[in-house]
């Protein structure tokens, strides 16, 4: 599903939500035997979020900044593992990271980024609501990531934005023509 298509689909996001939820709840069950449940929760939140961030980086058509984004994700997770932080602080940092990456790699402007932020806040609220009434980590994760699958319906950066094609913008086309004319005049004088 993560083929060569430019824009991810809602179905792809829903399947990813199912996979991440199953992976997160299964891992939590296994890790809770070896660690305190809070530590296991921190680890699972970090790993599941990191997997989602790496999915976003892979699906983005932009080439710049991916290494920095991956290193920032790993740095946040490393700090969370070494420094005692609350699950709320880690969740807030990870949600901010997801929003920042999607805003930079998938959105075209401030209004689109605000819509993306609304999806993240709505998904987090639904996950909390689900956790309170079902006590199921699987359903909580699934509800959060299922809401995130809707981000494909927000306006996205298209291929023409990422190519920086000089012939799309009239100013750039005129600038290129002027540079070409100056080069030909310079070459004519030197001959």
């Amino acid at each position: 599903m993560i083929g060569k298509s430019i824009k991810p689909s809602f179905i792809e996001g829903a399947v990813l939500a199912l996979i991440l939820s199953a992976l997160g709840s299964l891992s939590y069950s296994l890790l809770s035997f070896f660690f305190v449940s809070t530590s296991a929760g921190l680890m699972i939140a970090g790993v599941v979020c990191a997997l989602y961030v790496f999915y976003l980086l892979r699906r983005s058509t932009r080439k710049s900044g991916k290494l920095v984004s991956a290193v920032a994700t790993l740095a946040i997770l490393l700090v969370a593992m070494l420094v005692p932080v609350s699950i709320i602080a880690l969740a807030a940092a990870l949600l901010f990271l997801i929003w920042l990456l999607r805003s930079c790699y998938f959105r075209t402007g401030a209004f689109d980024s605000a819509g993306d932020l609304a999806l993240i806040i709505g998904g987090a609220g639904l996950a909390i609501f689900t956790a309170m009434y079902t006590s199921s980590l699987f359903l909580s994760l699934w509800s959060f990531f299922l809401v995130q699958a809707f981000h494909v319906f927000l306006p996205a950066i298209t291929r023409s934005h990422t190519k920086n094609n000089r012939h799309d913008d009239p100013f750039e086309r005129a600038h290129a023509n002027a540079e070409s004319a100056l080069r030909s005049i310079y070459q004519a004088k030197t001959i």
Side-chain angles (χ1 to χ4, degrees):
M1 273 194 204
I2 305 176
K4 298 211 183 255
S5 66
I6 294 172
K7 185 176 178 182
S9 68
F10 175 76
I11 299 296
E12 182 179 319
V15 170
L16 179 69
L18 187 64
I19 291 169
L20 289 176
S21 302
L23 182 66
S25 62
L26 179 66
S27 299
Y28 181 77
S29 297
L30 293 174
L31 284 176
S32 62
F33 287 119
F34 303 109
F35 297 101
V36 179
S37 66
T38 306
S39 298
L42 285 170
M43 286 184 225
I44 296 307
V47 169
V48 169
C49 182
L51 290 173
Y52 185 69
V53 164
F54 292 134
Y55 161 79
L56 290 175
L57 291 173
R58 177 165 165 82
R59 293 298 284 141
S60 171
T61 57
R62 291 186 61 186
K63 302 294 181 207
S64 63
K66 288 186 176 184
L67 181 62
V68 172
S69 301
V71 169
T73 302
L74 293 175
I76 288 172
L77 295 177
L78 183 64
V79 167
M81 297 304 153
L82 296 177
V83 178
V85 296
S86 70
I87 190 107
I88 294 171
L90 178 64
L94 294 174
L95 292 176
F96 177 75
L97 180 67
I98 290 172
W99 173 73
L100 188 62
L101 288 176
R102 282 204 318 221
S103 292
C104 291
Y105 287 107
F106 292 95
R107 302 294 153 245
T108 58
F111 290 116
D112 304 336
S113 293
D116 205 337
L117 181 61
L119 274 179
I120 290 176
I121 292 170
L126 184 61
I128 291 169
F129 178 79
T130 304
M132 286 173 37
Y133 287 100
T134 65
S135 298
S136 169
L137 179 63
F138 173 80
L139 289 177
S140 297
L141 288 172
W142 189 66
S143 62
F144 173 74
F145 286 114
L146 188 62
V147 170
Q148 301 318 302
F150 283 99
H151 90 92
V152 299
F153 297 115
L154 294 173
I157 295 174
T158 60
R159 190 173 282 279
S160 65
H161 283 100
T162 59
K163 281 185 177 179
N164 287 334
N165 194 351
R166 295 181 74 139
H167 303 292
D168 292 343
D169 185 22
F171 176 78
E172 292 294 331
R173 194 171 42 242
H175 185 262
N177 289 337
E179 283 182 339
S180 175
L182 286 174
R183 273 194 302 274
S184 63
I185 290 172
Y186 179 73
Q187 289 175 349
K189 280 188 169 185
T190 58
I191 294 179

